[in-house]
Amino acid sequence: MPTKTGRNDPCPCGSGKKYKYCCLSSASVANDEFQNLIAGQDFNSLEELQAEANNFMQQRNQQPHDDFQGLSSEQVHRMLHFPFDTPEFYNFPEKLRTEPEAPILTLIQWIANATDEKGLKATAKGNLPQKLCKEAFVDYRKYLPENDFHHRMKINREDDFVDLHACRSRILMRPLEDRHGEVLGRLGIQQRCRVPLLVRDDRPARRHPRTGVFATDGSNPSTTT
């Protein structure tokens, strides 16, 4: 059963204003108009009365409003809540003019390209090589706004580069072990991440036989310290 709109509740018309500051007075007017409409009419059931009320409100909701730039309440409601189903107001292109970019993907690609079937040689502390961190950082900053704090940072090791560390520790990398469980001092791709990654240029891609990662031929960053 529909609940009554409170005075301080958001207005049902979708304006974003409180009900008491928006359509409360209009609702009172509509109530008076409906009472005048049904005065003297006989209805055989509540269903007939409800149908008359629904028809009355539908006509009111389709009337243009100056506050909505000539649009009706029904049109504004559809614009706010069903934008993809309102082609008369919104036009969404099927193909974007530019390919969306997520800077974090550049870091994932750097790590993937630097990792071959034998893994990536780690530092003594088990981190990514310093050269890889510095080169990835320079590339990463190209995709960030000029006022981003990363442009004022200096990177000497993985711990200085939080975003890269997140990629390595939570997304891609794990220490490799031999068959006896001994750590080999190299980092490998996690099993769940052994899927094709986006290639950022037009050069042909090759797939590592063990990691399952696609990398661009000749584009590998340094894999040594």
Side-chain angles (χ1 to χ4, degrees):
M1 181 177 180
T3 57
K4 182 179 179 181
T5 303
R7 290 173 55 83
N8 292 317
D9 292 338
C11 188
C13 75
S15 66
K17 300 178 182 180
K18 289 185 178 181
Y19 183 45
K20 65 182 179 182
Y21 295 136
C22 191
C23 293
L24 177 59
S25 58
S26 299
S28 299
V29 172
N31 185 56
D32 293 339
E33 290 180 356
F34 182 66
Q35 288 184 2
N36 293 333
L37 177 67
I38 63 175
Q41 296 190 46
D42 295 326
F43 297 94
N44 296 323
S45 64
L46 288 176
E47 287 75 14
E48 287 187 10
L49 178 60
Q50 184 64 56
E52 184 69 20
N54 292 343
N55 182 61
F56 170 77
M57 291 306 302
Q58 183 178 9
Q59 293 180 4
R60 280 190 57 88
N61 289 336
Q62 293 175 349
Q63 295 176 0
H65 287 272
D66 293 337
D67 292 340
F68 297 150
Q69 301 296 318
L71 298 177
S72 67
S73 299
E74 182 178 282
Q75 289 174 317
V76 173
H77 175 77
R78 290 176 56 203
M79 289 175 60
L80 293 173
H81 300 282
F82 308 100
F84 292 100
D85 298 326
T86 317
E88 62 269 31
F89 301 116
Y90 296 107
N91 181 22
F92 297 95
E94 295 183 2
K95 185 176 181 180
L96 299 178
R97 293 181 179 179
T98 58
E99 192 71 20
E101 291 183 343
I104 198 71
L105 292 179
T106 67
L107 302 181
I108 296 176
Q109 191 66 56
W110 270 87
I111 296 175
N113 288 348
T115 306
D116 58 20
E117 62 273 12
K118 296 181 180 179
L120 174 63
K121 186 176 181 180
T123 65
K125 293 184 178 181
N127 292 328
L128 295 172
Q130 183 186 61
K131 186 176 181 180
L132 170 62
C133 295
K134 289 185 175 182
E135 292 179 349
F137 181 68
V138 172
D139 187 44
Y140 184 65
R141 291 189 301 184
K142 297 177 183 178
Y143 302 94
L144 302 177
E146 294 183 359
N147 59 348
D148 191 276
F149 72 94
H150 284 90
H151 292 285
R152 301 186 296 273
M153 292 177 57
K154 291 184 178 180
I155 298 298
N156 291 316
R157 57 185 184 275
E158 182 185 332
D159 292 342
D160 298 332
F161 196 176
V162 176
D163 294 350
L164 182 64
H165 178 71
C167 290
R168 197 276 298 179
S169 61
R170 296 183 178 86
I171 300 177
L172 287 174
M173 310 302 290
R174 59 174 177 79
L176 292 180
E177 301 176 351
D178 61 17
R179 60 181 181 178
H180 302 294
E182 295 293 332
V183 177
L184 299 176
R186 306 185 72 86
L187 301 171
I189 305 295
Q190 290 185 12
Q191 182 67 34
R192 63 188 176 90
C193 296
R194 293 183 184 181
V195 295
L197 298 178
L198 294 176
V199 178
R200 303 185 65 85
D201 52 34
D202 296 329
R203 287 173 289 183
R206 59 182 174 79
R207 181 172 182 172
H208 294 136
R210 287 183 57 194
T211 63
V213 173
F214 279 81
T216 305
D217 286 340
S219 63
N220 272 14
S222 172
T223 59
T224 62
T225 57

